[in-house]
Amino acid sequence: MTLFEILNFNRELLKRLISLGFKTDDCRYLELYRDYVQMRRGGDKVTYIVSVLSERYSVSERKIYSIIKHLETDCTSGAV
């Protein structure tokens, strides 16, 4: 199967995801965000979590703040 065939087969889903603010890089950060949520539920402070995740995933702290904000966006509000 070619990339074109996969994209063409999933185009309606992809169009909806894009209209909600989905970026292709979002998939790369799912584990990072899961770790963030787990640590927050455990009572850790955001600054500490960002520092730990930055080391763990080799991503800048600024990027982690950006990822968190983006993945917490409410898709139903239309403000993406």
Side-chain angles (χ1 to χ4, degrees):
M1 185 173 271
T2 66
L3 178 59
F4 170 78
E5 291 168 330
I6 293 169
L7 291 171
N8 191 46
F9 180 76
N10 292 292
R11 76 174 167 254
E12 289 303 316
L13 172 63
L14 292 169
K15 285 180 184 179
R16 288 184 183 175
L17 289 171
I18 290 167
S19 73
L20 294 172
F22 173 79
K23 299 177 194 170
T24 54
D25 274 359
D26 291 345
C27 295
R28 293 181 182 179
Y29 302 115
L30 293 176
E31 289 299 317
L32 183 150
Y33 187 75
R34 283 187 194 136
D35 288 350
Y36 165 77
V37 170
Q38 183 178 12
M39 292 174 80
R40 281 296 287 155
R41 287 185 182 149
D44 293 320
K45 301 214 181 266
V46 174
T47 306
Y48 171 74
I49 296 169
V50 169
S51 177
V52 169
L53 295 178
S54 177
E55 285 290 320
R56 186 179 297 165
Y57 290 97
S58 300
V59 176
S60 73
E61 290 184 9
R62 184 70 248 148
K63 180 67 175 174
I64 291 177
Y65 281 112
S66 176
I67 292 165
I68 292 167
K69 182 179 178 184
H70 180 67
L71 293 180
E72 288 181 340
T73 302
D74 182 5
C75 292
T76 60
S77 69
V80 184

